[in-house]
Amino acid sequence: MGKRLTQIATRTGDNGTTGLGDNTRVSKNSLRVHAMGDVDELNSHIGLLLCEDMPAAVRTLLVEIQQQLFNLGGELSIPGYELLKPEALLALDQALAGHNQALPRLQEFILPAGTRAAAQAHVCRTVARRAERAVVALGSEETLKDTPRQYLNRLSDLMFVLARVLNRYRTDGTVGDDVYWKSEKLARSQAQ
């Protein structure tokens, strides 16, 4: 990657363009910049989630995900460059399998609610989906590697699972639960 930022307010973007990592300038409304922005927003939401109380293993995982999202953003900022490695995708798959295995099966759809940490994980999930859509849109116009798209897809799934983990996490020894959608189907099954 080129020079590190030494000056933040350069005013070079005042004309509606921004510089990419390869020193080209593009419109701030380009698909690439939208994808970069959505990934950056996702990383910021994960930073906010990290302000919450959570199991140490989840914290460690989220810190690593932030590093990988920075790699992903860097890759998006330099057309044709690869920073996000397939091993990062494998790590998400392993985390997803491990955390999901420890959870009870879902009885019904759940609401994006519960503890503040779980609700923030759901925000991360939805922003990851938006970032994925932005990367897919970019990939329909420009050549991209598969790993960024796949990483965001898995990450949104993982954030759903982590929301469920965080809804169960309590420091007082009790166990919480998901907030279920009150569907007619669930009401009928509970009445029987």
Side-chain angles (χ1 to χ4, degrees):
M1 195 170 216
K3 299 174 267 179
R4 299 282 186 229
L5 293 177
T6 56
Q7 182 180 351
I8 300 304
T10 63
R11 294 177 178 75
T12 57
D14 287 353
N15 66 354
T17 66
T18 191
L20 297 180
D22 64 358
N23 293 320
T24 60
R25 296 204 65 82
V26 297
S27 168
K28 290 185 177 185
N29 195 35
S30 74
L31 292 175
R32 185 170 293 277
V33 174
H34 278 283
M36 290 165 40
D38 288 344
V39 169
D40 186 32
E41 183 181 349
L42 172 58
N43 210 341
S44 296
H45 276 294
I46 290 174
L48 185 59
L49 175 56
L50 283 164
C51 294
E52 299 296 330
D53 193 28
M54 64 186 63
V58 172
R59 181 172 304 283
T60 300
L61 175 62
L62 291 174
V63 168
E64 177 59 23
I65 288 169
Q66 281 199 302
Q67 296 291 328
Q68 296 304 329
L69 286 174
F70 213 81
N71 286 337
L72 196 161
E75 185 169 323
L76 290 172
S77 77
I78 306 172
Y81 198 69
E82 180 185 25
L83 281 171
L84 185 66
K85 304 296 183 197
E87 296 79 30
L89 184 60
L90 179 61
L92 282 189
D93 283 336
Q94 291 170 341
L96 184 58
H99 285 289
N100 200 38
Q101 184 179 19
L103 292 169
R105 286 182 50 122
L106 283 172
Q107 302 170 26
E108 185 58 81
F109 288 108
I110 62 171
L111 297 178
T115 66
R116 189 167 61 185
Q120 182 61 30
H122 279 294
V123 170
C124 294
R125 171 185 59 80
T126 61
V127 175
R129 286 285 185 217
R130 179 165 24 97
E132 179 188 8
R133 291 190 302 271
V135 168
V136 167
L138 175 61
S140 69
E141 300 290 324
E142 300 182 33
T143 302
L144 292 178
K145 298 190 180 322
D146 292 334
T147 306
R149 182 188 69 250
Q150 294 167 342
Y151 189 86
L152 291 167
N153 182 50
R154 296 296 198 304
L155 181 54
S156 62
D157 292 341
L158 177 60
M159 295 311 301
F160 178 85
V161 168
L162 291 180
R164 296 189 68 210
V165 168
L166 293 168
N167 261 338
R168 282 163 178 71
Y169 179 71
R170 302 285 191 277
T171 56
D172 64 3
T174 63
V175 177
D177 198 5
D178 299 306
V179 178
Y180 287 95
W181 173 46
K182 292 182 180 177
S183 71
E184 290 181 25
K185 176 184 170 188
L186 183 61
R188 281 193 307 267
S189 70
Q190 290 175 341
Q192 296 174 348

